[in-house]
DNA sequence: TGGACAATACAACAAACGGGGGATAGCGCA
DNA sequence: TGCGCTATCCCCCGTTTGTTGTATTGTCCA
């Protein structure tokens, strides 16, 4: 069985060599490239592009372990560039940063996993294998924040709760861009009633225009 | 050392007994409750509320493993109710569903982890331990979808790319709810120019009204 | 140097929006 | 029974939005 081909991007020589040693000792893994900066890594890895995203070039690694804090270009920008050209390449960040900003920017840029540097060698190898098989390994602190981010999304607006069912129904159509007369036709009521409802909605939400109302609705979604 | 106290909510007696057996055999784990439906589980677990969220009641489990498909109330609704009263209680879903809808609804409801039923006994125990220590265990297929959801958020609309810098600037103000005359004042141009720009924007986005334009802008943000 | 494009501006007009004042009818609850 | 809330409807009026014309200026590029 072919070993999993790994590339490292890490500026600290001690850490890089330590990772290389771990990979060299582990059966089934091979460190095929190691870079100490993002510019070299991007330039070199893009030399072996997958013709149309359906596979990786011959010399390409299967998995990239990318530091975030690097001299010059950041690891996050490197991920963005690499993923744009080689979407099948599996990349995991490996860094000391565990704040939401770094985590979410990295994932938005296209990173497939996010590990903390204090990850044990066994967990690191397990993560690389997981990546290779299409998983998204995360240190448990990271998973926790990612999961927590789903709960924060819904910030219930108390103003919205004061709307009646009919008002919510009309606000929903309003948000979709329906004209007053279209709402009236949809609900089989007169346009005057639509105006009255919308007037009441605006009063409850403390807004004057449709756009302000929409911003209140979208903000918590 | 005290064992981790686990409660199960699972309607299939075979699976429930199998989980109980796994927990009974594992040192450091104890199955303290098992329910075959969500109503009983919620009613019973809420009898031991944490006074103000800072801890769990004396008879409470540390960790709950919750099925989603149950007779009557769903496991997702049960999580919502339990988390509202006992936010410190750690709950992981354990189910066969691996579609985005179920995953994200469960996480939004407050679930701390999400496991698939085909998870091996070793991984299950590891997940329970991870939960107990504040992590968010996920099967790797689940982690993959959760991470992918961060990338999908930004679906670049090619129509938006055709807008000039000035048009984007005006669209931005338009989205914030500015009136035409306010945009004119903000940018030191005439209201007629604002109308012209907005007209051009609508043409490029293939919309007729402000609200339709906003929906195009918000959709990819 | 001519053409394409972006930004600016004006005019006239129709449609849509939003505020103000009413009014009626039903429904539940004190 | 009466009060409050909700949903429904009407009129008047000014403002805002969006369309359709036309036109000037500047820039960039072939």
């Amino acid at each position: 069985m072919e070993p999993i081909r790994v590339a490292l991007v890490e500026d600290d020589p001690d850490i890089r060599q330590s990772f290389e040693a771990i990979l060299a000792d582990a059966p089934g893994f091979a460190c095929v490239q190691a870079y100490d900066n993002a510019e070299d890594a991007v330039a070199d890895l893009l030399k072996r592009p997958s013709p149309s995203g359906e596979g990786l070039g011959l010399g390409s690694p299967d998995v990239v372990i990318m530091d975030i804090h690097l001299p010059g270009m950041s690891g996050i920008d490197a991920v963005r560039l690499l993923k744009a050209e080689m979407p099948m390449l599996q990349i995991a960040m490996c860094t000391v940063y565990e704040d939401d900003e770094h985590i979410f920017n990295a994932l938005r840029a296209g990173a497939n996993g996010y590990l903390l540097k204090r990850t044990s060698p066994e967990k690191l190898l397990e993560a690389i294998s997981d990546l290779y098989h299409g998983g998204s390994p995360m240190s448990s602190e990271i998973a926790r924040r990612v999961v927590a981010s789903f709960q924060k999304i819904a910030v219930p607006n108390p103003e919205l709760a004061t709307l009646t069912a009919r008002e919510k129904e009309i606000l929903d159509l309003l948000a979709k861009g329906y004209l007053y007369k279209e709402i009236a036709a949809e609900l089989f009521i007169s346009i005057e009633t639509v105006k009255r409802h919308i007037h009441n909605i605006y009063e409850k939400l403390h807004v004057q225009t449709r756009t302000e109302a929409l911003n209140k609705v979208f903000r918590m979604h």
Side-chain angles (χ1 to χ4, degrees), chain A:
Chain A
M1 177 138 140
E2 291 293 309
I4 300 175
R5 301 162 59 82
V6 181
L8 299 177
V9 188
E10 167 62 60
D11 61 329
D12 182 324
D14 291 346
I15 296 177
R16 195 171 63 244
Q17 282 156 25
S18 148
F19 279 10
E20 287 181 289
I22 291 168
L23 289 167
D25 286 351
F29 297 88
C31 180
V32 296
Q33 272 111 22
Y35 309 93
D36 65 1
N37 69 82
E39 287 84 352
D40 286 354
V42 171
D44 192 51
L45 291 170
L46 287 186
K47 277 186 198 160
R48 319 167 175 79
S50 57
S52 56
E54 85 286 4
L56 298 175
L58 283 185
S60 289
D62 302 304
V63 166
V64 177
I65 303 298
M66 176 83 68
D67 191 15
I68 288 186
H69 178 73
L70 295 163
M73 184 192 298
S74 83
I76 290 177
D77 290 330
V79 168
R80 211 185 318 276
L81 292 174
L82 288 171
K83 275 291 186 172
E85 296 299 318
M86 305 165 76
M88 304 299 287
L89 185 64
Q90 299 299 108
I91 310 177
M93 311 312 290
C94 184
T95 177
V96 295
Y97 302 118
E98 46 187 306
D99 57 292
D100 287 357
E101 201 65 22
H102 280 98
I103 297 169
F104 299 136
N105 282 340
L107 295 182
R108 262 195 293 272
N112 301 94
Y114 198 112
L115 307 171
L116 293 175
K117 282 208 170 144
R118 57 177 121 103
T119 302
S120 69
E122 302 80 49
K123 287 278 178 190
L124 178 68
L125 294 175
E126 191 183 321
I128 290 172
S129 171
D130 193 8
L131 260 187
Y132 181 67
H133 293 100
S136 287
M138 287 175 274
S139 298
S140 66
E141 297 87 340
I142 305 302
R144 189 185 189 176
R145 286 174 186 274
V146 167
V147 165
S149 77
F150 280 87
Q151 287 142 34
K152 270 183 256 168
I153 292 173
V155 186
N157 186 328
E159 287 174 339
L160 270 189
T162 70
L163 299 182
T164 69
R166 194 57 154 176
E167 286 167 350
K168 281 180 192 160
E169 195 177 1
I170 287 174
L171 179 56
D172 186 56
L173 295 175
L174 200 66
K176 286 182 182 158
Y178 282 54
L179 302 180
Y180 284 10
K181 61 179 176 187
E182 291 173 335
I183 296 176
E186 181 79 14
L187 301 181
F188 304 106
I189 55 180
S190 101
I191 196 173
E192 292 299 328
T193 305
V194 173
K195 283 170 71 174
R196 170 55 56 192
H197 278 304
I198 289 172
H199 181 77
N200 293 337
I201 290 169
Y202 288 178
E203 251 181 4
K204 289 186 182 177
L205 299 186
H206 305 108
V207 298
Q208 262 86 1
T209 69
R210 182 193 289 235
T211 309
E212 291 176 86
L214 290 221
N215 277 309
K216 291 231 172 191
V217 172
F218 282 133
R219 189 139 326 166
M220 92 210 62
H221 162 67

